[in-house]
Amino acid sequence: MKTKWMLYLVLALGLLLSSAGALADGGLTGLTAEDPAQRAVLAPEFSPEVTDYYMYVQSDVYGIRFTPTFEGDAPATVTMVGTGVEETTEEVASGSSFILNLSQAYEDMRTDVESTATIEANGVTYTVKVQREDANYLYDAFTLNTKATEDGNEMYYWLHVPEDYDPSREYPVVLYLHGSGQRFQNVEMVLMRNQAATSFVKYGYDAIVIAPQCNYTDLSAEIFWYDTDLNATVFGNGAYSILQDVIAQYNTDADRIYVTGLSMGGIASYGMLAQYPETFAAALIHCGLMTDVGLDKFITSMAEYKTPMWITHGTGDESVDFENYGIITGALDEAGIDYTGTVYDDDVFLYPMRHFCWEPAYADQDVLNWLFSQSKSNSFGTLVDLKVEDPSFKATPAFSTDVYDYSIDVQHDVYGVRFTPYGEGPFKINGEAVGSGESYVFEFSASDRMPKETYYTGLTGVVEIETSQGVYTYTINKEAIGDIVDAFEQRTYTLPDGGEMYYLLYVPEDYDASNAYPVVLCLHGSGKRWQVAENILMSNQCASAFVKYGEKSIIVVPQCNYTDISPDMTEGWADRDLQMSKFGVAAFDILQNIKAEFNIDASREYVTGLSMGGNGSLSMIANYPDEFAAAIINCSYGNDFGKLANLVGSDTAIWLAQAENDPAVRAENYYRITKTLDELGVPYTGTLIQKHNFLHTSDHFCWVPMYANYEGCLDWMFEQTK
């Protein structure tokens, strides 16, 4: 199953003005960021006029390389400080690099880890905050188990079974074998130190994952999974025995058992293929090595079984010399055995050492998709039915085995469509092996979401399902909304402190001042605080939904254009006690100005928002209970909901929406809000979207179906009057 990484990775477009304002002289001319997972994204996109930046990195990234450029011979002064690392200061020449570190300590793995680099160049100070993603939900997706080894000792192993495990389905299995460093660390570090076993959960593969620990405590003995002659140790035998136990306990797909490992685990992966070649459908192997004795065993097995392999190594590997890659692949080439190889050159940034070639590999979904596309069965199954799900919950064309070409139109904020085939599998969907009842998600790539031109031209994708009956083709068309974006006017509002705040305004083209119009106040989420204002319309179908689905209305879309992009939400529309911030108060004042400028039906004022905007919408009706006829509030949050008491006696109609499995705004917020409203006797409508329902690339995005008029919520809103 394909899915994209962190639902909260921020991409920015264009140039934003920071609190420092435009620079007259000096400063940086460029700033690049590189992380070992090769996913670094600086937000916003660098501009000399922007001095404050932010970026997220995945949980096993412990350092980021930054390269500033600037005019003049005087070096820049860089100060670095962060969680679990000492403050350091160094001087950096233009075009040279410095490394900002993040804590590698076990005690920091389950906590927020942030590091900050302050760059002073030519009299201008730039700040970059780096936050490591919260991966607790990945660790918690595994359970810890024990297994008695053949010598009578106890061996730990982590096991992930899909939450919706169905014993009537067959599941692929991944056996992950860690490197030597995790032998003596806390067993949690098998999952935490490297995003390896957890990557299969993070990217949504519907698979059983096993991560045993070679938990040997005698450091002098140097016991591994396998020795370099590829002889199994008690732990190598134990790992395979655990695999067999899991296969016996769960309904697994014998044609889709995979092994993967890094360093010491790379050696073990070769060992597993040499010893049990009949077991594995494919292997993903990082920086392994073996002696001539081991190589003979390995080549002999692979010559017979020809197991598909993807092998990676770094040319500058300090621990397992790169020459081992050449020896192994050279032997495979000589024997005529196919494999896929990836070599990371020295200019590819790998930290803390170039031994860590697995970091970019496990973060590369093309690599992981390849692994799951491998099957020992080369025949295609017979397709009986196909379920196609659009995250906006709109109907898709009914499937018929006699019809081979389909077309699906999706709205502009849909980035993925889920396909679930049923019948006698396996099938191949866009080259990936998929069993009956398993799901494949087609996604428009993240890079296609943001460029403005795609919202004018739309996007097209193709999904091909290979079966014994032939190939079924689905063409997926993402709508173009450039005309809607252009229909909004961007305006500027002056804050009481002298700052500027942008807002977008939609007025029907045939506006008639003799008619009173309903007005909708739309409040965006946290990701749009530092993006260009029009991106509020592009990324989410919030304001644009009312142009498409609602009756003619005036739509007001303010931007909480805060440039300190820290994770702290107190500088959103309101704080967690529902107290309006300066931006929330300004949004309300902008609404009042619009009411004075246009003929507005005072009985039909509406407010809606998502995530941070959900909190803002809830705060709006709590602080201004006599203002709004209705509110649609998506995934709101808070600590103290005491202000909701202001709604007692108010006739504001409320519709709350929440995804049960939301990773960003937990469903407990929904339950606390509804409990408070129930206790106060304030009526509301609630939509709790169950975790088994497909939502989006992130289950946070409950607003996608809501703003597509799910359960008639938009129609309901326009029916409400004050």
Side-chain angles (χ1 to χ4, degrees):
M1 174 179 175
K2 289 185 180 178
T3 182
K4 297 294 177 191
W5 181 42
M6 306 292 302
L7 55 100
Y8 47 72
L9 179 63
V10 180
L11 298 175
L13 287 176
L15 303 178
L16 299 177
L17 293 179
S18 74
S19 56
L23 304 179
D25 297 294
L28 298 181
T29 57
L31 180 65
T32 62
E34 300 166 276
D35 83 292
Q38 300 182 345
R39 287 178 168 271
V41 176
L42 200 63
E45 184 178 283
F46 177 77
S47 168
E49 290 82 17
V50 180
T51 58
D52 295 300
Y53 296 88
Y54 195 82
M55 61 183 291
Y56 279 100
V57 295
Q58 66 183 44
S59 62
D60 62 345
V61 166
Y62 305 113
I64 303 91
R65 182 171 67 183
F66 292 98
T67 305
T69 56
F70 46 89
E71 301 294 334
D73 297 328
T77 300
V78 177
T79 302
M80 295 172 283
V81 64
T83 307
V85 295
E86 294 184 2
E87 181 174 340
T88 59
T89 300
E90 60 183 86
E91 292 188 338
V92 178
S94 177
S96 297
S97 302
F98 65 91
I99 294 174
L100 178 66
N101 292 332
L102 288 90
S103 174
Q104 303 180 51
Y106 165 70
E107 58 269 19
D108 292 329
M109 289 295 175
R110 282 191 175 271
T111 62
D112 291 336
V113 174
E114 182 179 279
S115 288
T116 301
T118 302
I119 308 166
E120 296 183 24
N122 294 328
V124 182
T125 300
Y126 296 81
T127 301
V128 183
K129 295 180 180 179
V130 178
Q131 176 81 18
R132 197 161 69 197
E133 69 173 320
D134 181 355
N136 285 312
Y137 75 102
L138 297 176
Y139 312 144
D140 293 341
F142 288 77
T143 59
L144 184 61
N145 305 269
T146 59
K147 167 79 175 179
T149 59
E150 59 193 29
D151 62 358
N153 288 310
E154 198 170 51
M155 183 174 173
Y156 297 113
Y157 68 97
W158 293 100
L159 179 65
H160 167 74
V161 178
E163 187 177 10
D164 57 353
Y165 171 77
D166 180 353
S168 68
R169 289 176 47 194
E170 292 184 344
Y171 290 80
V173 180
V174 180
L175 174 63
Y176 162 69
L177 302 170
H178 65 72
S180 62
Q182 281 66 70
R183 291 176 298 168
F184 320 113
Q185 293 180 342
N186 185 295
V187 67
E188 284 195 320
M189 291 296 274
V190 173
L191 302 178
M192 294 177 177
R193 173 61 172 163
N194 304 302
Q195 193 167 105
T198 55
S199 66
F200 305 109
V201 180
K202 176 179 180 178
Y203 295 113
Y205 296 98
D206 207 13
I208 294 172
V209 184
I210 309 167
Q213 184 184 32
C214 179
N215 47 301
Y216 195 73
T217 54
D218 182 356
L219 293 170
S220 64
E222 288 298 307
I223 297 296
F224 305 114
W225 301 109
Y226 279 73
D227 65 21
T228 51
D229 286 343
L230 300 192
N231 297 311
T233 69
V234 64
F235 293 103
N237 288 334
Y240 189 76
S241 179
I242 290 169
L243 172 63
Q244 296 307 305
D245 288 349
V246 171
I247 290 173
Q249 182 178 356
Y250 296 94
N251 191 6
T252 58
D253 185 346
D255 287 335
R256 299 178 67 202
I257 309 296
Y258 310 117
V259 63
T260 184
L262 54 92
S263 194
M264 180 185 85
I267 299 171
S269 298
Y270 288 127
M272 288 280 181
L273 293 182
Q275 189 174 3
Y276 308 108
E278 72 285 352
T279 299
F280 299 101
L284 175 57
I285 305 172
H286 312 290
C287 50
L289 76 161
M290 61 189 94
T291 62
D292 289 342
V293 173
L295 189 59
D296 286 342
K297 294 179 181 178
F298 172 65
I299 293 296
T300 299
S301 290
M302 292 301 95
E304 179 179 357
Y305 284 89
K306 296 181 173 56
T307 305
M309 291 170 281
W310 194 314
I311 304 169
T312 77
H313 215 121
T315 57
D317 193 322
E318 306 94 333
S319 296
V320 178
D321 197 286
F322 178 63
E323 70 176 1
N324 289 281
Y325 177 86
I327 292 170
I328 295 168
T329 57
L332 290 169
D333 290 337
E334 185 175 348
I337 300 169
D338 290 335
Y339 64 91
T340 301
T342 298
V343 172
Y344 297 99
D345 295 330
D346 287 356
D347 61 354
V348 173
F349 178 59
L350 298 173
Y351 181 83
M353 55 194 304
R354 289 188 174 91
H355 180 46
F356 286 22
C357 64
W358 55 84
E359 282 189 283
Y362 285 123
D364 187 339
Q365 280 193 261
D366 288 339
V367 175
L368 302 187
N369 288 339
W370 170 89
L371 183 68
F372 280 90
S373 71
Q374 305 306 312
S375 173
K376 289 193 290 184
S377 172
N378 293 321
S379 61
F380 296 130
T382 302
L383 187 63
V384 175
D385 195 11
L386 183 67
K387 186 177 182 180
V388 182
E389 296 166 285
D390 169 350
S392 67
F393 295 167
K394 291 182 179 177
T396 57
F399 175 77
S400 170
T401 55
D402 298 327
V403 179
Y404 288 87
D405 293 296
Y406 297 85
S407 181
I408 302 174
D409 296 324
V410 298
Q411 62 191 41
H412 76 273
D413 62 347
V414 165
Y415 303 122
V417 179
R418 184 168 69 177
F419 293 80
T420 308
Y422 296 93
E424 297 181 6
F427 312 98
K428 273 199 173 182
I429 304 182
N430 281 5
E432 180 178 326
V434 178
S436 178
E438 294 182 350
S439 295
Y440 169 94
V441 176
F442 169 81
E443 290 187 13
F444 293 99
S445 71
S447 61
D448 287 335
R449 299 183 190 181
M450 302 302 294
K452 180 177 179 180
E453 59 268 19
T454 65
Y455 294 93
Y456 287 84
T457 62
L459 288 172
T460 299
V462 176
V463 173
E464 294 184 338
I465 302 106
E466 297 178 72
T467 73
S468 62
Q469 304 111 300
V471 178
Y472 294 91
T473 301
Y474 281 77
T475 301
I476 305 172
N477 306 299
K478 185 190 284 194
E479 70 176 331
I481 61 158
D483 56 338
I484 293 178
V485 174
D486 289 342
F488 282 79
E489 172 193 358
Q490 181 169 319
R491 293 183 170 189
T492 302
Y493 171 86
T494 302
L495 295 161
D497 61 8
E500 288 187 337
M501 180 173 172
Y502 301 119
Y503 69 97
L504 301 164
L505 177 66
Y506 172 82
V507 178
E509 187 176 6
D510 58 354
Y511 170 77
D512 181 352
S514 65
N515 295 330
Y517 289 77
V519 64
V520 184
L521 177 64
C522 300
L523 302 178
H524 63 74
S526 63
K528 305 303 174 288
R529 289 179 294 171
W530 51 86
Q531 296 183 1
V532 292
E534 66 180 5
N535 207 36
I536 300 171
L537 306 175
M538 294 179 178
S539 293
N540 302 309
Q541 183 166 286
C542 178
S544 61
F546 301 105
V547 179
K548 290 166 46 176
Y549 300 115
E551 63 178 275
K552 289 183 179 179
S553 58
I554 291 175
I555 305 167
V556 184
V557 191
Q559 183 182 29
C560 178
N561 47 303
Y562 192 66
T563 54
D564 178 8
I565 40 184
S566 70
D568 186 358
M569 297 298 184
T570 57
E571 286 295 343
W573 303 109
D575 65 17
R576 292 179 179 270
D577 295 336
L578 307 189
Q579 180 65 45
M580 304 303 296
S581 71
K582 68 177 182 181
F583 297 106
V585 172
F588 186 77
D589 192 44
I590 289 171
L591 176 63
Q592 305 313 305
N593 293 342
I594 296 302
K595 289 165 60 178
E597 183 178 353
F598 297 94
N599 189 359
I600 301 296
D601 184 345
S603 69
R604 301 182 68 201
E605 296 178 40
Y606 309 115
V607 63
T608 187
L610 55 95
S611 195
M612 183 184 84
N615 164 265
S617 301
L618 190 66
S619 301
M620 278 282 179
I621 61 174
N623 283 275
Y624 309 106
D626 298 324
E627 185 76 18
F628 299 98
I632 297 177
I633 301 169
N634 299 287
C635 47
S636 184
Y637 53 81
N639 293 330
D640 184 351
F641 296 114
K643 277 188 172 289
L644 294 181
N646 293 338
L647 292 170
V648 175
S650 167
D651 56 357
T652 302
I654 304 169
W655 193 315
L656 299 167
Q658 174 72 42
E660 186 179 41
N661 209 35
D662 192 326
V665 176
R666 302 293 183 183
E668 65 187 58
N669 290 279
Y670 174 85
Y671 294 120
R672 291 173 57 234
I673 294 169
T674 55
K675 180 182 178 182
T676 302
L677 293 175
D678 288 338
E679 291 174 347
L680 293 170
V682 175
Y684 62 90
T685 300
T687 296
L688 182 64
I689 302 174
Q690 303 299 311
K691 65 181 68 177
H692 63 271
N693 284 336
F694 175 65
L695 290 175
H696 213 267
T697 51
S698 167
D699 281 358
H700 181 44
F701 289 18
C702 70
W703 56 83
V704 173
M706 297 306 293
Y707 289 131
N709 205 22
Y710 183 54
E711 297 182 336
C713 65
L714 303 188
D715 298 330
W716 166 90
M717 189 187 79
F718 282 103
E719 291 170 358
Q720 308 306 311
T721 58
K722 195 73 171 174

